[in-house]
């Protein structure tokens, strides 16, 4: 049997080992840099520059040209050699200058459900009075298309990170690079901008509705399904009514604001309870609870969430929904780093 060569790109173990060595080396190189937080400015001590593959090829050609010029004592060959060296030197200066002085700000990452890729967006700002060309952002193995900045302008660059299971994550290290103007050299800077990345459980409906409501004493009762509940009544809008209860069809017909009012009056708040979720797998139960939280929020009525060791009281609105989904995402897990 022929033994093929080991390819890090195809062997997961070698690829993981190579990635760890690379991360350790980058961490050692950037050890003197402080964590950036939400904003950073690219200064001289943060810009690294090396020739690209084309740049190394040009260096080899220049070496051959120089040896030939010396061997034949040809002044025109010397002139051509040093002319190309001067062009390369200017290209190095322009490449380094293309990154220098940029202001970079990380934008909030929109929460996603497990299985969907989070979108990392950075805002690049030019403040030194010169345009910037062909800027690329890389993070987590993904790279953005090139971005261009006008003099004094700004632009947003975004990349889709790899999808992850539910949890709260930190951003991976970011790499901002450029090969402008000739592609002979690459200048880059490492950024440690960070913001919270929320990954919610995947909503999964259970076979039976087991949510419960509670009165002031904590006594629980089953939540009626939509077909068992009495029909809603339509009444005029009053200040303080939830926008989710606005009857838009009635508004379109009459031009006046109407809201749906339950015929049963003010109902007890809905409780989404861990103990009422079916199954024994915690991840499955969290998915069911996520689905019920979304359903309870869609009704516009107050709802609460009970988890082991945590209780979020009944409330309404997007902020309350965000708190409940965040509690489900973080349940039983520490904050991790996206890679």
């Amino acid at each position: 049997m022929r033994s093929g060569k080991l390819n890090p790109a195809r062997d997961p173990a070698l690829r993981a080992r190579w990635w760890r060595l690379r991360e350790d080396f980058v961490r050692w190189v950037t050890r003197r840099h402080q964590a950036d937080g939400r904003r950073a400015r690219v200064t001289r001590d943060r810009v690294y520059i090396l020739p690209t593959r084309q740049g190394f090829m040009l260096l080899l050609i220049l070496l051959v040209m120089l040896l030939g010029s010396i061997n034949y004592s040809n002044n025109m060959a010397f002139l051509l050699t040093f002319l190309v060296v001067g062009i390369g030197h200017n290209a190095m200066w322009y490449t380094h200058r293309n990154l220098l002085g940029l202001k970079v700000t990380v934008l909030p990452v929109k929460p996603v459900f497990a299985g969907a890729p989070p979108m990392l967006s950075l805002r690049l700002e030019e403040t030194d009075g010169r345009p910037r060309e062909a800027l690329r952002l890389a993070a987590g193995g993904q790279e953005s298309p090139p971005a261009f900045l006008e003099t004094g302008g700004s632009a947003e660059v975004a990349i889709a990170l790899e999808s992850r299971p539910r949890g709260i994550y930190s951003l991976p290290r970011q790499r901002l690079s450029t090969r402008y103007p000739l592609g002979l050299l690459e200048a880059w800077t490492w950024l440690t901008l960070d913001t919270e990345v929320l990954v919610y459980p995947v909503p999964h409906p259970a076979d039976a509705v087991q949510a419960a409501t509670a009165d002031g004493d904590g006594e629980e009762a089953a939540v009626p399904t939509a077909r068992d509940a009495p029909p809603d009544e339509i009444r005029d809008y009053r200040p303080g009514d939830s926008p989710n209860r606005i009857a838009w069809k009635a508004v379109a017909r009459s031009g006046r604001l109407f809201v749906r009012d339950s015929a049963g009056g003010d109902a007890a708040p809905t409780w989404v309870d861990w103990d009422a979720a079916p199954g024994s797998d915690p991840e499955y139960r969290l998915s069911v609870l996520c689905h019920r939280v979304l359903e309870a929020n869609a009704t516009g009525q107050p709802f609460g969430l009970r988890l082991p060791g945590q209780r979020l009281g009944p409330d309404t609105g997007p902020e309350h929904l965000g708190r409940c989904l965040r509690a489900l995402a973080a349940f039983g897990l520490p904050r991790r780093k996206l890679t």
Side-chain angles (χ1 to χ4, degrees), residues 36-48:
D36 293 319
R38 299 294 299 274
R39 295 177 180 83
R41 185 180 180 91
V42 182
T43 53
R44 293 184 184 276
D45 62 329
R46 301 186 60 160
V47 179
Y48 305 89

Side-chain angles (χ1 to χ4, degrees), residues 224 229-233 235 238 245 260-269 301-302:
D232 292 341
E233 295 179 352
R235 61 169 175 82
R238 293 195 294 264
R245 297 172 60 187
R260 298 185 186 90
D261 194 11
S262 176
D266 294 334
Q301 301 293 331

Side-chain angles (χ1 to χ4, degrees), residues 148-231:
F148 304 88
L149 299 181
E150 297 179 354
T151 302
S154 64
E156 291 184 11
V157 290
I159 54 176
L161 301 174
E162 188 176 350
S163 58
R164 285 289 184 267
R166 70 163 184 96
I168 302 180
Y169 296 88
S170 301
L171 289 178
R173 184 185 288 107
Q174 306 94 47
R175 184 178 187 268
L176 187 63
S177 64
T178 182
R179 294 187 176 187
Y180 174 82
L182 300 180
L184 300 176
L185 300 110
E186 182 178 33
W188 73 92
T189 183
W190 295 106
L191 302 170
T192 54
L193 298 166
D194 195 20
T195 187
E196 188 176 75
V197 181
L198 279 173
V199 181
Y200 301 144
V202 178
H204 183 78
D207 295 335
V209 177
Q210 300 179 7
T213 57
D215 56 19
D217 298 329
E219 184 179 354
E220 297 183 354
V223 177
T225 61
R227 61 178 179 270
D228 296 329

Side-chain angles (χ1 to χ4, degrees), residues 236-255:
D236 289 330
Y237 175 84
R238 293 195 294 264
D241 288 333
S242 172
N244 294 328
R245 297 172 60 187
I246 295 178
W248 294 108
K249 291 184 179 180
V251 173
R253 288 194 301 268
S254 63

